[in-house]
Amino acid sequence: HAVFCLIFFHRITDMKLYQVDDESGTLGYVNHSYNPRNVYQQIGNYFIGVAPLFGGSIFLYFLMTYLVPDAYALMSAVLTEIPSMFNGKFGLELIPTLFKTVFAAIETIFFTNFGFKTVIFIIVAFCIALHMNLSGADIKGSVKPLPLLAVVLFLVNFILNLVSKSTYNGFLEAVFELGCYLLVFLV
């Protein structure tokens, strides 16, 4: 949460990285303020709210690349081909492909080159994945800016489409591939 506060120029007013609250299950918190008239900062509330999902996935990505590179290479090879399956529309063939990718990566992790690094990866990955949840406050804070975010994304798509069809298609493929990586790590 704090990293996204900095990226979106929110002022951090209070932060506890580790303070266990048994009643709510909270392990820590970040309180922040922002200018409600600033569109960039309003959209930032979405990313600040869902930060554990992005941050955890990014950390798992880098952890996998260094500790279980065979699983990462297999996953990456499949995921880089997904945009060519996309062809500008969402196809149902994508869902089985994503799940096959996840299961192939799991199979590679557990049955190929299983060693000390693999054990470390599994332990750390479980610790991270079990804490990639959103609190009620996170969800509430990230839902409010969704309409504004949708309008901004629509405008970006519209402008890119006017400027250059190849730039527009490249942008869509990049966002789609990034979304596939995120989805696979969330699964």
Side-chain angles (χ1 to χ4, degrees), residues 92-106:
L92 291 178
E93 68 274 0
L94 174 67
I95 295 168
T97 302
L98 288 176
F99 278 102
K100 276 195 259 180
T101 304
V102 169
F103 292 125
I106 291 170

Side-chain angles (χ1 to χ4, degrees), residues 4-86:
F4 278 99
C5 283
L6 297 174
I7 291 171
F8 287 95
F9 305 118
H10 285 223
R11 192 169 74 86
I12 297 174
T13 56
D14 190 22
M15 178 172 63
K16 296 287 184 200
L17 294 179
Y18 186 74
Q19 181 181 19
V20 179
D21 182 359
D22 291 332
E23 288 182 23
S24 68
T26 302
L27 296 175
Y29 61 87
V30 176
N31 292 331
H32 57 96
S33 62
Y34 67 99
N35 179 356
R37 290 180 279 165
N38 184 318
V39 173
Y40 182 72
Q41 289 183 352
Q42 284 183 42
I43 290 172
N45 281 327
Y46 170 76
F47 293 98
I48 292 166
V50 298
L53 301 178
F54 287 116
S57 295
I58 290 167
F59 191 77
L60 286 173
Y61 170 84
F62 286 113
L63 193 68
M64 181 180 263
T65 60
Y66 293 109
L67 294 179
V68 282
D70 293 341
Y72 168 75
L74 179 131
M75 232 175 55
S76 185
V78 174
L79 289 174
T80 53
E81 291 180 18
I82 285 178
S84 63
M85 292 170 48
F86 179 53

